């Protein structure tokens, strides 16, 4: 790690760009859902999976699991001290819930089910 960089949750706009790219994709791999490209309800795994399991579902920016596996906390401009915003959907969700533009909002600050997780980014300080 560089001394002038910080680890952080991703800002929501950065998360969405990493998932959708400039093309504005519906899913990280394209606009048609494919259960072989992510850990979703349709894939039938039923629990979390290792991050690199779905090579064919990588986003154009090279990010794994931007759809499915676990909901990811993001830094959102409209969040509050008592609730959070998450993106990406989880293994419990179906294809419409995994769309890259979907948001899970007003999640109580202390609510932490097994299908919630984090993604970290390095941001220049």
């Amino acid at each position: 790690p560089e001394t002038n960089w910080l680890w952080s949750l991703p800002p929501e706009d950065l998360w969405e760009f990493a998932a959708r790219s400039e093309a504005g994709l519906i899913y990280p791999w394209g606009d048609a859902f494919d259960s072989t490209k992510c850990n979703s309800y349709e894939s039938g795994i039923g629990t979390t999976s290792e991050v690199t399991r779905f090579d064919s579902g990588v986003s154009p920016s090279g990010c794994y699991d931007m759809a499915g596996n676990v909901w990811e906390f993001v830094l959102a401009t409209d969040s509050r001290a008592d609730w959070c915003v998450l993106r990406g959907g989880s293994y419990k969700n179906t294809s419409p819930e995994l769309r890259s533009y979907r948001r899970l909002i007003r999640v109580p600050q202390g609510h932490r089910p097994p299908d919630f997780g984090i993604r970290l980014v390095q941001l220049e300080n």
Side-chain angles (χ1 to χ4, degrees):
E2 299 292 327
T3 56
N4 61 332
W5 289 75
L6 299 172
W7 288 101
S8 172
L9 291 175
E12 187 172 25
D13 59 343
L14 180 64
W15 187 99
E16 187 165 341
F17 183 79
R20 301 184 76 190
S21 77
E22 290 177 1
L25 302 172
I26 294 174
Y27 300 100
W29 55 85
D31 290 334
F33 181 74
D34 183 340
S35 65
T36 67
K37 295 182 185 271
C38 67
N39 184 1
S40 66
Y41 179 81
E42 290 93 343
S43 69
I45 296 170
T47 189
T48 58
S49 59
E50 63 278 3
V51 172
T52 57
R53 180 168 181 165
F54 296 94
D55 285 334
S56 62
V58 173
S59 75
S61 61
C63 296
Y64 286 80
D65 286 348
M66 298 300 286
N69 209 18
V70 294
W71 282 100
E72 299 175 3
F73 291 90
V74 295
L75 298 175
T77 57
D78 62 343
S79 64
R80 297 186 344 199
D82 59 337
W83 58 265
C84 306
V85 175
L86 292 93
R87 302 292 296 265
S90 82
Y91 65 89
K92 294 181 177 182
N93 298 116
T94 60
S95 58
E97 298 164 308
L98 301 183
R99 293 178 179 159
S100 297
Y101 53 80
R102 287 286 180 128
R103 308 172 78 216
L104 188 58
I105 62 169
R106 296 189 179 114
V107 176
Q109 189 74 343
H111 186 62
R112 298 292 185 269
D115 65 330
F116 281 14
I118 62 169
R119 176 181 303 268
L120 295 177
V121 296
Q122 269 194 317
L123 301 172
E124 193 166 6
N125 189 6

